[in-house]
Amino acid sequence: MYGIETAALIAATFLAAGFIKGAIGLGLPVVVLGLLAPALGMREALALFLIPAIAANSWQMLSGPWLGQLFRRMWPFLLAAAIGIWMGTWVLANADTALLEALLGAVLIVYSIFSLLTPQLPPPGRRERWMAPLAGGAGGVMFGMTGIFIVPGILYLQTLGLKRDMFVQALGLTFITISSTLTVSMAGRNLVSVEEAMASAVLLVPTF
């Protein structure tokens, strides 16, 4: 399916992405899509990303005792994200992928600048009831189009003030929800070929 150089680039990318995911609990889509979307195209990069994302985040979601507590608090956020992903993948299926790659680059630049400045966003407090679905839905649309949920989805989660280990498990719950939804949505719109699904499964090896 791929030449030797392309296959080596893909394997090295998932190896690096898996290392970063293991170290900090997130970053798999940022590395994979940031490096592979320009080389392979947005749709193909997303297709390769799906199975490693589900597997890695299943592991992370189950690594901690707070899963039930987190789900009870986060379900409006997660439901809105899933709805947003269905909308975003419709754009992915119909839009010019060059525009989506430009959007991906813009989002990564904005987030990088934001992270370097490290502003302290206030906790949502009483506004959490309406901010959670708003942030989840907007993040879901972005994830469906570009594979990046950070803006505003993860930025919102960072305002909840969760302890480190609980936050890592919350990321796992979030990413398994959005990755599974993205997989179903892309498959339903015929955006994943059998060959891409098989290659995605093979990429579990360098990721893990």
Side-chain angles (χ1 to χ4, degrees):
M1 182 176 176
Y2 300 107
I4 294 177
E5 291 183 358
T6 302
L9 170 64
I10 294 171
T13 297
F14 276 87
L15 180 66
F19 176 83
I20 292 172
K21 173 73 171 175
I24 64 175
L26 72 163
L28 189 69
V30 174
V31 176
V32 169
L33 297 169
L35 294 177
L36 294 186
L40 304 178
M42 179 66 70
R43 295 188 187 115
E44 188 168 352
L46 274 172
L48 294 176
F49 158 76
L50 294 174
I51 293 178
I54 291 173
N57 288 300
S58 297
W59 186 1
Q60 183 172 330
M61 179 184 70
L62 297 173
S63 298
W66 304 283
L67 183 58
Q69 178 183 339
L70 289 169
F71 182 78
R72 287 189 294 272
R73 180 175 183 179
M74 293 172 57
W75 73 262
F77 174 81
L78 299 173
L79 177 61
I83 294 171
I85 288 167
W86 278 95
M87 298 168 60
T89 52
W90 181 88
V91 178
L92 177 68
N94 294 280
D96 182 351
T97 56
L99 294 177
L100 297 179
E101 289 168 19
L103 176 61
L104 170 65
V107 170
L108 293 178
I109 290 170
V110 168
Y111 181 68
S112 298
I113 294 172
F114 184 90
S115 298
L116 289 171
L117 296 176
T118 59
Q120 297 297 314
L121 295 177
R126 294 180 179 178
R127 299 184 296 273
E128 184 172 343
R129 181 172 296 180
W130 60 266
M131 285 184 67
L134 182 63
V141 172
M142 288 296 301
F143 191 71
M145 292 190 298
T146 67
I148 298 297
F149 191 72
I150 292 174
V151 181
I154 301 305
L155 293 180
Y156 168 78
L157 288 182
Q158 290 174 338
T159 68
L160 298 181
L162 302 175
K163 294 181 179 179
R164 179 182 178 276
D165 290 345
M166 183 181 287
F167 178 66
V168 170
Q169 189 170 20
L171 289 176
L173 174 60
T174 299
F175 288 137
I176 191 62
T177 301
I178 62 177
S179 298
S180 300
T181 304
L182 182 64
T183 300
V184 173
S185 185
M186 289 185 67
R189 292 188 165 96
N190 296 316
L191 296 176
V192 183
S193 69
V194 174
E195 292 82 3
E196 288 167 342
M198 293 174 62
S200 184
V202 170
L203 289 167
L204 286 170
V205 176
T207 303
F208 270 80

